[in-house]
DNA sequence: TAAATATATTTAAATATATTTATATAATAT
DNA sequence: ATATTATATAAATATATTTAAATATATTTA
């Protein structure tokens, strides 16, 4: 089997309505935090919090511009996430010996 | 923007190490609960619990076979999940008017 | 029918996560 | 310098999730 720690972390980062909204919003382009709070109706600290989680996961990138901080999607990382998910999900043709038709103690 | 409720639900269902392990395991083929507990070293109630969450999300399918219950991946639903995620993630070329270069109260 | 087995459900405890409120920092403008 | 603004961090609280333990249900076998 596989190392699933990293994928779990990435999925946890996006498995939240607010954070998916942020990703969806950022897919229209780079924008500052205030734009995110405004568009999604979030309080500034709440937006900051969710942005931080996405940033820690490496899924978004921040750049400072004077008083503002712009955020944008990290497409590379997002594609990586999709690929890894695909790998785990995809059916295997490999012959394995650990699948038992039953686990009856008597057999 | 989009309806992200459904996608959030699907992502929450898989954003867990144990449940990713289960999906990874089931990608080798249909198997009974006891096989899952055995392979992943989970207690039976814990395995049952995680399987239920995946099943409620529609990502796996169960079939009763005498005393046993077999589980298998629902490939259709998993592909749907991947597609929806791709839609949300993918960059948009659409011109939008809500992105402001700054949100200064004065401007 | 009674005993054994596979699985599910319920409850409680432990842990993690989200939201809010308050405060801090850093850049800009006056 | 001082005030204002954008963002971040911290603390407090509320909520959700995970795990574990106990119990229930259903099927099979003796």
């Amino acid at each position: 089997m596989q190392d699933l720690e990293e994928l779990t972390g990435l999925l946890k980062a996006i498995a939240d309505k607010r954070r998916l909204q942020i990703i969806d919003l950022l897919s229209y382009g780079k924008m500052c935090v205030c734009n995110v709070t405004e568009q999604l109706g979030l309080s500034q600290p709440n937006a900051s919090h969710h942005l931080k989680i996405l940033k820690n996961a490496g899924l978004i990138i921040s750049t400072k511009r004077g008083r503002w901080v712009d955020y944008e999607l990290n497409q590379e990382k997002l594609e990586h996430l999709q690929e890894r998910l695909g790998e785990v999900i995809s059916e295997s043709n490999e012959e394995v010996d650990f699948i038992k038709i039953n686990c009856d103690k008597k057999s």
Side-chain angles (χ1 to χ4, degrees), chain A:
Chain A
M1 263 143 260
Q2 316 197 21
D3 168 47
L4 299 170
E5 295 284 357
E6 190 219 0
L7 182 54
T8 306
L10 293 174
L11 289 172
K12 273 189 197 298
I14 63 169
D16 178 276
K17 193 189 169 191
R18 293 290 155 76
R19 295 198 288 275
L20 272 187
Q21 285 181 318
I22 290 174
I23 289 173
D24 190 33
L25 185 60
L26 292 183
S27 73
Y28 290 98
K30 191 192 245 193
M31 67 189 74
C32 65
V33 178
C34 55
N35 223 318
V36 174
T37 66
E38 204 170 77
Q39 284 305 309
L40 305 182
L42 300 179
S43 71
Q44 180 273 312
N46 195 6
S48 247
H49 170 246
H50 288 298
L51 286 166
K52 190 183 184 183
I53 288 172
L54 289 171
K55 193 186 167 186
N56 284 345
L59 295 168
I60 61 175
I61 295 164
S62 69
T63 356
K64 195 151 194 188
R65 176 173 50 83
R67 256 186 299 172
W68 294 273
V69 177
D70 291 329
Y71 282 91
E72 67 190 306
L73 295 186
N74 182 353
Q75 280 296 331
E76 252 187 52
K77 193 80 175 185
L78 286 164
E79 277 158 30
H80 171 72
L81 161 53
Q82 285 181 287
E83 272 171 37
R84 281 295 284 122
L85 181 58
E87 283 168 24
V88 173
I89 282 176
S90 67
E91 283 171 306
S92 170
N93 298 314
E94 208 182 310
E95 270 300 320
V96 289
D97 57 351
F98 57 73
I99 299 183
K100 298 178 191 159
I101 198 68
N102 75 59
C103 298
D104 200 317
K105 299 274 158 61
K106 287 178 188 159
S107 53

